[in-house]
């Protein structure tokens, strides 16, 4: 008789009683609004005009510095956020061929084989990244943050790189195009806003890329011996952009994968410090902004004609004013401005001033249509995006970008988006609990304790009362 393998497996563990009842269902999940294509131009058959412009605006700096400058950008969810980050680095001078998007989605080759769609949280467009000249590495399974960091170091070792850069995907970067300029210089450029000379020289030694490379060159040269040869990390705006010495990762045994997400950085950086490695904070190399929003069309970052910088939820402009501006922007030179619906109570002089300013804005808008966005407007728009992420001086919007999509049902490796988020949050709590047990203390201020060292890992009693004060992931230390 052939055994009933299914029944044997279900009864594994010796349970011979009645089948347990199915738990009650949760309320229906909230469906999130659909997202739009973040870079529509790459989804079309490019006209010769835009094909030429795209090639020019994504061209790599020439000549390439003698140093290898790989930049890892990890990705799990939110394709619009990723493509925005990547395009901003290219616009800031980073060679596209040096950018390595690490697809850490856990969907194996589904994205490479075009099996996922835009509304799927784990969707990534390999074709569009290839159009930009960017590399894509696929992890064999879904990795935690700590595992991903070890993957960066392992990949660097396999490719023979002694150093590498890595960045979060929820940032937008700019070269500081006002670097070294006087107020008169800026005023003169504002008058020419949108003109053909508006395109920043990506080969400039003042680009974000070249200034970041100069930090690496300084570390390698170190002729005056002012810098520690055993350096571990150089932080640009903390770890929103980081330069890493591979030996410092290997030298302390890699990132602790028992601490999958938050506090893994505390654990790594203090172990490196106790192991004799030095961390540096770099001088400003450009503008690095932490954002949770996405531009309506990230092509604006490349100053492509006709693409204006805007984003949904922009707190800078009231909705009725935005509608009026759209009407103004649609006018041609032969028509007069429509009356303003939001300044009816203003005096004639105020109206005249306003109309004068709007005439300037209209001209600027038309110049952007012809030549592309201006640095000043791009920067101001993204700065509002960054401010919105931390509105109210809280972290309330900090990670909202990770759960903006809820589609993909029926596609390979589909996961319930709310369940995935809950699983990550539970893993975060677990990691904090592991950190607390490992070092006997709840909180990253372990690094400030006198007499602490790597040999103390897992050898210290708790400095809190588990029964009275809660688990390791609880408390005010986090």
């Amino acid at each position: 008789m052939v055994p009933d393998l299914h029944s044997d497996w279900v009864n594994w563990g010796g349970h011979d009683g009645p089948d347990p009842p199915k738990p009650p269902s949760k309320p229906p999940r909230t469906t999130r609004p659909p997202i739009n294509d973040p870079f529509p131009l790459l989804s079309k058959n490019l006209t010769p005009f835009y094909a030429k412009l795209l090639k020019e605006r994504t061209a790599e700096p020439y000549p390439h510095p003698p140093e290898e400058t790989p930049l890892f950008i990890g990705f799990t969810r939110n394709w619009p956020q990723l493509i925005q980050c990547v395009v901003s680095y290219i616009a800031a001078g980073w060679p596209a061929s040096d950018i390595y998007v690490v697809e850490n989605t856990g969907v194996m080759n589904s994205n490479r084989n075009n099996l996922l769609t835009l509304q799927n949280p784990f969707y990534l467009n390999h074709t569009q990244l290839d159009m930009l000249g960017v590399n894509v590495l696929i992890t064999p399974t879904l990795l935690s943050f700590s595992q991903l960091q070890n993957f960066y170091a392992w990949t660097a070792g396999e490719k023979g790189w002694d150093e590498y850069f890595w960045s979060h995907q929820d940032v937008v970067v700019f070269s500081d195009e006002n670097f070294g300029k006087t107020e008169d210089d800026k005023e003169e450029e504002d008058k020419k806003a949108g003109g053909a000379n508006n395109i920043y020289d990506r080969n400039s030694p003042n680009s974000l890329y070249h200034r970041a490379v100069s930090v690496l060159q300084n570390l390698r040269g170190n002729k005056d011996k002012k810098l520690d040869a055993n350096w571990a990390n150089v932080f640009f705006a903390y770890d929103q952009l980081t330069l890493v010495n591979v030996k410092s990762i290997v030298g302390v045994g890699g990132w602790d994968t028992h601490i999958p997400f938050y506090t893994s950085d505390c654990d790594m950086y203090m172990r490196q410090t106790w192991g004799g490695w030095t961390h540096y904070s770099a001088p400003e190399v450009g503008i690095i902004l932490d954002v949770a929003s996405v531009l309506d069309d990230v092509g604006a970052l490349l100053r492509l004609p006709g693409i204006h910088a805007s984003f949904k939820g922009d707190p800078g402009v009231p909705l009725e004013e935005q509608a009026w501006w759209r009407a103004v922007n649609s006018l041609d030179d032969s028509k007069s401005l429509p009356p303003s619906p939001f300044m009816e109570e203003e005096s004639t002089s105020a109206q005249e001033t306003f109309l004068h300013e709007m005439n300037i804005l209209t001209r600027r808008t038309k110049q952007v249509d012809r030549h592309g966005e201006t640095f000043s407007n791009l920067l101001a728009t993204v700065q509002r995006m960054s401010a919105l992420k931390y509105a109210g001086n809280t972290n309330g919007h900090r990670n909202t970008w990770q759960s903006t999509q809820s589609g993909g049902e029926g596609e390979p490796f589909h996961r319930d988006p709310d369940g995935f988020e809950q699983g990550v949050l539970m893993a975060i709590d677990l990691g904090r609990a592991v950190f607390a047990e490992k070092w006997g203390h709840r909180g990253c201020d372990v690094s400030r304790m006198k007499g602490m060292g790597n040999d103390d890992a897992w050898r210290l009693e708790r400095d809190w009362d588990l029964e009275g004060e809660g688990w390791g992931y609880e408390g005010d230390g986090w």
Side-chain angles (χ1 to χ4, degrees), residues 104 143-150 166 168 239 255 259-262 264-265 269:
N104 179 41
L143 305 179
S144 69
F145 177 79
S146 295
Q147 291 170 328
L148 187 63
Q149 292 294 329
N150 285 336
W166 73 272
H168 290 278
D239 67 356
W255 289 68
I259 309 174
F261 295 103
Y262 292 120
S264 60
D265 54 348
Y269 300 150

Side-chain angles (χ1 to χ4, degrees), residues 323-332 337-338 358 361-362 366:
W324 188 79
W325 282 28
R326 285 195 295 272
V328 170
N329 293 343
S330 66
L331 296 176
D332 58 41
L337 288 167
M358 286 309 303
L361 173 64
T362 303
K366 291 179 178 179

Side-chain angles (χ1 to χ4, degrees), residues 180-293:
K181 293 179 181 176
T182 65
E183 290 302 317
D184 289 341
D185 293 334
K186 298 176 191 175
E187 185 176 342
E188 183 63 26
E189 289 194 359
D190 283 341
K191 292 178 182 178
K192 299 176 181 178
N197 63 347
N198 181 50
I199 307 306
Y200 186 67
D201 178 11
R202 298 171 68 255
N203 278 306
S204 168
N206 293 329
S207 73
L208 178 141
Y209 171 67
H210 280 108
R211 292 171 73 184
V213 172
S214 70
V215 172
L216 173 59
Q217 291 170 336
N218 192 23
L219 285 164
R220 282 189 169 185
N222 197 18
K223 294 178 181 178
D224 53 10
K225 304 299 181 185
K226 290 182 179 179
L227 300 173
D228 191 340
N230 287 332
W231 64 274
N233 302 283
V234 179
F235 299 114
F236 305 83
Y238 186 50
D239 67 356
Q240 291 169 9
L241 173 63
T242 307
L243 172 60
V244 178
N245 182 349
V246 176
K247 290 181 181 177
S248 72
I249 303 288
V250 176
V252 297
W255 289 68
D256 188 343
T257 55
H258 287 105
I259 309 174
F261 295 103
Y262 292 120
T263 70
S264 60
D265 54 348
C266 303
D267 178 83
M268 167 54 83
Y269 300 150
M270 68 187 188
R271 284 192 293 118
Q272 287 176 321
T273 300
W274 294 334
W277 299 91
T278 300
H279 305 284
Y280 291 106
S281 292
E284 183 181 292
V285 296
I287 301 166
I288 303 172
L289 296 169
D290 187 15
V291 300
S293 309

Side-chain angles (χ1 to χ4, degrees), residues 363-381:
R363 288 197 299 271
R364 191 198 73 82
T365 299
K366 291 179 178 179
Q367 288 174 325
V368 172
D369 283 339
R370 296 187 186 106
H371 303 292
E373 262 296 358
T374 62
F375 172 67
S376 58
N377 191 50
L378 273 172
L379 179 59
T381 302

